[in-house]
Amino acid sequence: MKKKSTTPTLDDDTPITQADIDDGKLILRKRSAGRVVLPKKRVTLYLDAALVEHFKHMAGERGYQTLINETLKSSVQTADIAETVRRVIREELKGRKAA
């Protein structure tokens, strides 16, 4: 189950007030090629040199950090899907045992 952010966001049709600006907690979403892009966070991460070289080789001109980011996102989504399937199977099996 994913946690929902409690930080307020600004939708495209919501007017910006001075209070929003002064508050400093507002996350502005920017658009890129017609889609909303959430802000990224800078982190320091130590990875094996061979792993970094592998991603640099795979990425080519594109940028290896972007490829690492996409790989991590894909891994999280796969884990979420796997957990959902496990939960549904457990519920189905519990329902059959009860019947």
Side-chain angles (χ1 to χ4, degrees):
M1 185 166 98
K2 292 184 180 179
K3 286 177 119 180
K4 290 191 176 180
S5 174
T6 56
T7 306
T9 59
L10 179 67
D11 297 327
D12 291 338
D13 56 351
T14 305
I16 299 174
T17 65
Q18 186 61 43
D20 293 331
I21 296 169
D22 294 340
D23 186 24
K25 294 182 180 176
L26 188 65
I27 296 176
L28 297 177
R29 297 179 178 199
K30 61 182 182 178
R31 290 195 167 269
S32 174
R35 62 189 173 103
V36 174
V37 179
L38 297 176
K40 293 187 177 186
K41 182 173 183 167
R42 178 180 297 272
V43 295
T44 301
L45 182 67
Y46 291 95
L47 302 172
D48 294 340
L51 185 64
V52 173
E53 290 305 317
H54 173 75
F55 276 99
K56 282 183 178 182
H57 178 72
M58 285 179 57
E61 299 286 322
R62 195 165 135 207
Y64 73 98
Q65 291 176 342
T66 300
L67 187 56
I68 291 172
N69 190 50
E70 289 173 0
T71 302
L72 288 170
K73 274 194 224 176
S74 175
S75 176
V76 169
Q77 289 171 346
T78 301
D80 288 345
I81 291 169
E83 181 54 37
T84 300
V85 169
R86 284 187 197 98
R87 183 178 45 78
V88 168
I89 290 172
R90 280 193 293 265
E91 290 172 2
E92 289 292 322
L93 289 174
K94 186 191 289 186
R96 289 185 184 195
K97 288 179 185 177

